[in-house]
Amino acid sequence: MNVRHSRLARLVALTVVVSMPLLGMAGVASAKAAGPNCKLHPNRAACKAGGGGTGGSGPNIIVTIAPNPLIETGTSQVHAIVQVEALPAFAGDPVFIYSQQLNNSCTSVQYYSSASGTIGADLGTSATVILDDDGNATVLVQGDNCAPGSSVFEADLVKAPYYTATTILVANPPVPTAAGLTGYPNPEVETGDTNGGPNGPSGNSDVYAVFYVEDNPVYAESEVEISSAQLQNRCGLGAEWYAGNGGSGGPTGASTTLDDDGNAVFVFMGASCAAGDSTVIADVNAGTHDTFTTIYTISPPVPTV
């Protein structure tokens, strides 16, 4: 009996000794698991700062395009708004926007920006723009005679730490679509809050929007007009409308012809624009003179990443 009791005591002691390190290990594991799950709680400060949650850190920079996918209009034209969103820590830094695949798919590609103070200034076949104080920048991209398909876009921070973001734009071939008027992106966070800086200006509460008018193909080659007194009046430093498919524009509106599928595209750019809702109106000058309206919303500058 004494021998058995002695063996049992040694076994219990050994079990306690072995268990103690395991308890310590469990404490370390739970400590490592502490912190916010960024997938479930993306708005928590630790996640917004790009640090340490169990769901992984948030992005430092992203690039998006609207509309996406899009329907080519007129002579297989592409019109879209490219938005770059980065952490506010990169405010004032230049960002390079480019798509070699879109350049290869179109006979010509141009980027436009109002950041320099000239509304719709032509930047060429790529764009280098300045992130505003919220880490955001926006440009318009336009392509002519484009083959349908997918194109990779990239946005690169020109300075250290040289982060890169990519996205894919899908351009679908011209096709009849449901009648209506739609604006993209909607809502849009206006960009730009500096007129200068070591790397150049970021703009002045600039707005970039693309509007698609879609009607019955029976009205192909008919004139269509677009305007919005509310939208243009919001922009204290001026506004300009542009039209696809060889149309004409100006500060108070634009006109063009519906393509063979009954579709048309317009672009609006404005500077120093007040946030809020605006009614946009498109009129087809043929047949029953269809009129389409939509509400376009401008949101004030704000960090978005």
Side-chain angles (χ1 to χ4, degrees):
M1 292 292 293
N2 291 337
V3 172
R4 291 168 58 188
H5 279 300
S6 176
R7 289 178 177 175
L8 180 60
R10 287 199 297 269
L11 179 60
V12 171
L14 179 61
T15 302
V16 171
V17 171
V18 172
S19 299
M20 289 177 66
L22 294 178
L23 289 173
M25 291 175 63
V28 172
S30 63
K32 289 183 177 180
N37 186 317
C38 293
K39 290 184 178 180
L40 298 179
H41 308 287
N43 293 321
R44 290 193 178 180
C47 299
K48 286 186 174 181
T54 59
S57 61
N60 295 292
I61 180 174
I62 62 174
V63 56
T64 58
I65 302 177
N68 193 13
L70 58 78
I71 302 293
E72 297 178 342
T73 57
T75 55
S76 298
Q77 294 178 338
V78 166
H79 297 78
I81 306 301
V82 184
Q83 295 177 297
V84 178
E85 302 162 90
L87 294 175
F90 303 121
D93 286 354
V95 59
F96 175 74
I97 304 168
Y98 184 64
S99 174
Q100 181 63 58
Q101 292 183 337
L102 185 66
N103 284 11
N104 293 341
S105 299
C106 307
T107 58
S108 67
V109 172
Q110 299 293 123
Y111 291 80
Y112 300 90
S113 169
S114 301
S116 65
T118 300
I119 297 176
D122 188 343
L123 302 182
T125 58
S126 63
T128 298
V129 288
I130 307 303
L131 296 172
D132 65 16
D133 285 348
D134 298 301
N136 300 326
T138 305
V139 296
L140 164 73
V141 62
Q142 176 180 310
D144 292 316
N145 295 308
C146 302
S150 300
S151 299
V152 175
F153 273 72
E154 63 179 276
D156 305 308
L157 290 181
V158 176
K159 297 185 175 183
Y162 306 109
Y163 288 128
T164 294
T166 62
T167 192
I168 296 176
L169 171 66
V170 178
N172 292 321
V175 64
T177 52
L181 170 63
T182 312
Y184 303 92
N186 192 10
E188 183 196 19
V189 174
E190 55 191 13
T191 55
D193 43 29
T194 55
N195 295 320
N199 298 314
S202 65
N204 191 338
S205 297
D206 298 330
V207 169
Y208 304 79
V210 171
F211 291 91
Y212 279 78
V213 181
E214 302 155 287
D215 205 354
N216 194 308
V218 71
Y219 298 127
E221 309 305 326
S222 297
E223 183 186 43
V224 57
E225 300 174 332
I226 195 168
S227 63
S228 174
Q230 292 179 340
L231 187 55
Q232 68 194 42
N233 289 339
R234 286 185 180 277
C235 300
L237 292 181
E240 197 76 19
W241 286 94
Y242 304 88
N245 201 24
S248 60
T252 60
S255 65
T256 189
T257 56
L258 296 171
D259 65 15
D260 290 343
D261 297 296
N263 300 327
V265 64
F266 297 94
V267 174
F268 176 87
M269 296 189 197
S272 188
C273 303
D277 296 338
S278 299
T279 300
V280 181
I281 304 170
D283 296 302
V284 177
N285 298 325
T288 56
H289 294 271
D290 292 338
T291 295
F292 305 105
T293 64
T294 191
I295 301 297
Y296 191 76
T297 301
I298 302 171
S299 298
V302 65
T304 53
V305 172

